[in-house]
Structure formats: structure tokens, C-alpha cells
Amino acid sequence: MTDEQLAESLDLGPHYELARLAGHWEGSTRVWFEPGVLGDESPMRGSIRLVLGGRFALHEYEGALGGKSLQGLAIYGYHVKRNRFEMAWIDSFHMGTAIMLATGGGNGPFLALGQYEAPHGGLQWGWRTDIELLNEDALVITAWNVSPQGEKARAVETRYFRSRAPAPAR
């Protein structure tokens, strides 16, 4: 990647779009453990800040799931040479001690597909993450379970609204 390619992406391209996510956010998260059956809905707070000169967006968040504290962190980026979005994700519920790495297409909105091990062994499942900035003050992050057969079901949806107050530091 050249400095010119990064500068172009920061000015008008995918890195510019990632920069628009920066800020403090509040909202709620809904979770489905089986298709079409809402399992939980809880408040969520997060902050997204740019790191390494705008190359990446760091998303830190906290909330609850089933009444228990939940924290997470994701790094969102765009790989200029490979023309794709990339993500690394950890949290205190879904991921245990694993780090999910995910990649996605380079044209259009942010989406990335990773894989995780089924809880009781067996085939790998997919985990697709879509990030959509509806407007400057509304952000939706949706994650989908993708079965080994390719069937997609909504798993997690966070609806954020821009907040003026910073999220608490951990």
C-alpha cells in the first residue's frame, strides 16, 4: 500500500466511512439464540475511536446479557491491497477466550464473515457482521449466524444513537 492509496481511502473511501463511526454511542442490543425467538434485550454503551492514524476503528462496548455484565472489543479496518474489510472481535460472552477474525467484500457497506466452533464440536459456523450508519447519529450493528449449510439467522442487533457523554473507561 502506498501513502497515496491510504490518503485516498481516508479522504473519500472506506477509511473515511470508518471514521464516520467515531464517537460515543448508547442504545440497546437484542440477542436471538434460535431463529425468530428473541432471547434478550438490554441497554448497551460503546465508543468507537480511530487508531493508528485512521487506519482502524476501535470499538469498545459494555452492557448486559441475561442480567450479567458483558464487555467487548472489535477492531474494524479496510485492507487497501486486498480491497476488503477486516475485523477482529472478542467479548466476554460469545467468544470465550477466542478471537474471531473476519473479512468481507470491499465494495459497499461494511460486512465481514468469520467462523466459530460449534459449542459441542462439529462443523464450523459462520458469523457475519454488518455495520450500517443510518445517519450521523444512528448506527446499527447486526450479526448473523450462518449454518454450515449456509442458512442465515439474525443473532445480535445493536441499535446505537450518538451520545455526547463518553462511555465509562474500563
Side-chain angles (χ1 to χ4, degrees):
M1 173 191 67
T2 66
D3 290 341
E4 291 171 359
Q5 288 172 311
L6 178 59
E8 184 179 312
S9 186
L10 288 167
D11 285 343
L12 299 171
H15 286 91
Y16 169 79
E17 294 302 322
L18 288 173
R20 294 178 61 211
L21 305 176
H24 302 291
W25 300 92
E26 292 185 32
S28 65
T29 296
R30 299 186 301 167
V31 178
W32 294 263
F33 295 109
E34 56 186 279
V37 180
L38 183 63
D40 187 71
E41 185 168 3
S42 300
M44 189 68 63
R45 294 179 65 178
S47 67
I48 300 175
R49 62 186 170 95
L50 301 179
V51 296
L52 302 179
R55 286 176 173 84
F56 303 97
L58 176 64
H59 179 198
E60 295 177 277
Y61 59 92
E62 62 181 32
L65 180 63
K68 294 182 181 179
S69 178
L70 168 75
Q71 296 85 35
L73 185 144
I75 299 171
Y76 310 124
Y78 182 78
H79 193 309
V80 171
K81 279 180 129 177
R82 293 191 177 173
N83 189 34
R84 70 181 190 195
F85 289 102
E86 297 183 344
M87 178 181 85
W89 175 53
I90 57 176
D91 80 349
S92 60
F93 176 77
H94 298 93
M95 294 309 300
T97 59
I99 300 171
M100 181 181 292
L101 303 175
T103 60
N107 299 321
F110 183 100
L111 68 90
L113 179 63
Q115 291 188 327
Y116 69 94
E117 296 176 26
H120 305 292
L123 299 173
Q124 294 277 310
W125 280 64
W127 186 264
R128 178 177 152 175
T129 303
D130 299 351
I131 301 174
E132 183 180 9
L133 189 63
L134 301 177
N135 60 52
E136 292 305 314
D137 293 321
L139 172 64
V140 179
I141 302 171
T142 307
W144 306 84
N145 267 313
V146 182
S147 75
Q149 297 76 30
E151 297 167 350
K152 186 172 84 166
R154 187 182 316 262
V156 178
E157 180 183 79
T158 299
R159 290 193 166 270
Y160 273 146
F161 298 95
R162 197 172 293 275
S163 169
R164 303 301 174 224
R170 289 188 277 213

